[in-house]
């Protein structure tokens, strides 16, 4: 996983001391020069390359050439002179992360420490991009890479007082909730209004929140709970 010049992680191990990162042909490209005999290759980081299967379509790594290097997960945040404007990322090759939990307790019999191991498989999920405010509206572009539609069970929303009441939520082309919820925190559908429900389909969809007043740029905490027990957190 490449995060910034001079900061490269492979399976959680910092290998930046052994890997050289050089400027590419354009400002969207960086040359990844691994240690040893492996050849260098160019990474294209404009967000146009999906790294399908862990291989680059606009650059490297190249299948059949860069045999010791393959992308498992990438996360890119892009900035210009005005600041942040776009991000992208995805798990393109599921990978396992081992975990060990340890607990220590003391009672009349003394102190005992127990531990257990669990391995979590990190697979393609849902990405968040282009969170924007426009007039009385907050919109978030979501991309569902999970391979299945995900039904929304409920939505919790925290928003700034200055926005006034929350009046409507849309997901894609459908209204998910409509009403008039006063600031600053609700759990829908429990806190009134009309709940129509919604489904995050595969691919891209716009999640939209409408308010009575002009939307502030920051101050939002949102959680979507899905019917498979997973959830998506959005903060701005």
């Amino acid at each position: 996983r490449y995060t910034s010049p001079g900061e490269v992680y492979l399976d959680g191990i910092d290998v930046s001391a052994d890997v050289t990162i050089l400027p590419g042909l354009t400002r969207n490209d960086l040359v990844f020069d691994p240690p040893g005999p492996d050849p260098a290759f160019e990474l294209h980081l404009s967000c146009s390359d999906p790294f399908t299967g862990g291989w680059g379509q606009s650059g490297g790594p190249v299948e059949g050439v860069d045999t010791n290097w393959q992308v498992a997960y990438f996360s890119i945040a892009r900035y210009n002179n005005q600041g942040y404007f776009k991000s992208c990322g995805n798990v393109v090759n599921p990978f396992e992360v081992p975990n060990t939990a340890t607990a220590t307790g003391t009672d009349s019999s003394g102190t005992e420490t127990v531990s257990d191991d669990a391995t979590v498989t990190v697979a393609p999920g849902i990405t968040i991009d282009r969170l924007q405010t426009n007039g009385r509206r907050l919109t978030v572009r979501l991309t569902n890479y999970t391979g299945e539609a995900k039904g929304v069970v409920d939505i919790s929303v925290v928003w700034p007082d200055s926005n006034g009441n929350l009046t409507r939520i849309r997901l894609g082309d459908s209204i998910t909730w409509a009403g008039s919820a006063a600031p600053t925190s609700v759990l829908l559908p429990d806190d009134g209004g009309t709940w129509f429900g919604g489904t995050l389909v595969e691919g891209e969809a716009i999640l939209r929140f409408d308010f009575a007043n002009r939307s502030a740029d920051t101050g939002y905490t949102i959680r979507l709970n899905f019917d498979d027990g997973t959830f998506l957190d959005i903060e701005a």
Side-chain angles (χ1 to χ4, degrees):
R1 177 169 63 89
Y2 169 80
T3 51
S4 65
E7 184 182 358
V8 180
Y9 293 89
L10 179 64
D11 292 336
I13 301 173
D14 186 353
V15 296
S16 57
D18 298 320
V19 174
T20 302
I21 303 296
L22 302 170
L25 295 177
T26 75
R27 62 182 180 180
N28 294 321
D29 299 316
L30 289 172
V31 175
F32 182 94
D33 189 3
D38 293 342
F41 56 86
E42 196 165 62
L43 287 166
H44 186 72
L45 304 175
S46 74
C47 284
S48 67
D49 197 330
F51 295 103
T52 303
W55 308 111
Q57 280 68 59
S58 302
V62 177
E63 187 173 8
V65 176
D66 302 306
T67 54
N68 291 327
W69 299 90
Q70 190 174 359
V71 176
Y73 164 77
F74 70 98
S75 176
I76 301 170
R78 301 194 62 199
Y79 296 81
N80 57 21
N81 291 337
Q82 285 71 48
Y84 168 84
F85 72 94
K86 186 177 183 181
S87 63
C88 59
N90 190 21
V91 178
V92 291
N93 276 307
F95 58 95
E96 294 186 341
V97 178
N99 295 271
T100 300
T102 302
T104 301
T106 302
D107 58 17
S108 58
S109 299
T111 300
E112 183 176 0
T113 298
V114 296
S115 64
D116 197 5
D117 297 327
T119 298
V120 176
T121 300
V122 181
I126 300 167
T127 62
I128 303 169
D129 187 21
R130 299 182 186 176
L131 190 150
Q132 302 179 61
T133 56
N134 184 9
R136 301 176 181 179
R137 184 173 299 168
L138 168 72
T139 60
V140 187
R141 183 182 299 275
L142 305 176
T143 306
N144 180 3
Y145 289 108
T146 65
E148 58 184 17
K150 300 174 76 68
V152 180
V153 176
D154 57 48
I155 303 176
S156 63
V157 191
V158 177
W159 69 96
D161 283 332
S162 61
N163 286 23
N165 285 12
L166 174 66
T167 60
R168 185 164 53 187
I169 302 174
R170 297 181 67 98
L171 180 58
D173 296 328
S174 302
I175 297 174
T176 300
W177 174 88
S180 184
T184 61
S185 178
V186 294
L187 175 63
L188 306 171
D190 291 356
D191 292 338
T194 302
W195 177 262
F196 300 98
T199 300
L200 180 60
V201 298
E202 294 182 63
E204 290 188 351
I206 299 295
L207 176 64
R208 190 180 97 188
F209 299 84
D210 292 336
F211 298 95
N213 304 330
R214 184 176 181 83
S215 298
D217 291 335
T218 59
Y220 303 92
T221 302
I222 300 162
R223 171 171 287 190
L224 278 67
N225 285 303
F226 299 112
D227 55 9
D228 61 358
T230 61
F231 60 87
L232 175 68
D233 283 341
I234 303 167
E235 292 192 22

